[in-house]
Amino acid sequence: MKHDHFGDILKHLRKDSGFKTQKQLSDSSGISQTTLSRIEAGIQKPMPGTLKMLAKYLQTCTYEQLMEKAGYFEGDLSSEHTNSHHMPTTIAEHMHEPYTIAAHHEGEDWTEEELEEIERFKQFVKSKRKQ
């Protein structure tokens, strides 16, 4: 699925916020230049966490506005949705929905040590939320 409309919006917001290049925004935000390039090209839909990071650096748009522009919310965030699939109505509700993060490494299985390290990193990331 193409997400080129949001890519054009992101490119415009990036430039309006003083980042002439994707590399400049990447260096400031910590989001890889490859990811920014794929989003702007319409190849990749940004994850909510990516949008949250970008909102800190894009001076003309809030996190909520980015979420809506990226297609996570349709229209009025407070309206009831009539279809059978529940759509989140607030950012907080969206962030509490479970989602999967997968790591793939072709050609090799994960060792027990590597899996333990991944688990430690996961706990480290969670601990940062509480600070």
Side-chain angles (χ1 to χ4, degrees):
M1 176 178 211
K2 297 270 296 167
H3 306 281
D4 53 348
H5 178 68
F6 181 77
D8 292 338
I9 291 170
L10 179 59
K11 183 176 182 178
H12 180 77
L13 292 170
R14 172 177 55 80
K15 290 183 176 187
D16 282 354
S17 296
F19 298 100
K20 293 180 182 178
T21 66
Q22 294 170 352
K23 181 169 179 4
Q24 289 174 326
L25 180 56
S26 173
D27 289 345
S28 293
S29 68
I31 298 167
S32 76
Q33 185 176 352
T34 301
T35 297
L36 293 173
S37 175
R38 291 176 56 82
I39 293 169
E40 286 190 12
I43 298 168
Q44 176 179 334
K45 182 175 182 175
M47 295 294 295
T50 300
L51 295 174
K52 190 171 189 175
M53 298 265 305
L54 286 172
K56 295 176 185 177
Y57 298 93
L58 300 176
Q59 301 164 355
T60 58
C61 199
T62 66
Y63 172 58
E64 290 82 3
Q65 291 168 329
L66 287 174
M67 289 288 287
E68 186 171 353
K69 290 175 189 299
Y72 285 98
F73 302 115
E74 296 177 13
D76 181 8
L77 296 179
S78 64
S79 67
E80 290 293 322
H81 296 281
T82 57
N83 65 19
S84 61
H85 301 308
H86 174 73
M87 290 288 292
T89 56
T90 66
I91 297 298
E93 181 181 347
H94 176 78
M95 293 308 291
H96 288 17
E97 288 186 357
Y99 63 94
T100 301
I101 298 174
H104 299 275
H105 191 275
E106 293 183 27
E108 289 186 33
D109 290 326
W110 294 103
T111 67
E112 193 63 36
E113 278 183 347
E114 291 168 330
L115 291 172
E116 288 173 8
E117 186 174 347
I118 291 168
E119 184 61 33
R120 284 191 303 272
F121 181 72
K122 186 176 89 172
Q123 296 304 320
F124 167 74
V125 171
K126 282 183 177 180
S127 74
K128 289 175 52 179
R129 279 190 239 158
K130 299 172 187 172
Q131 296 177 357

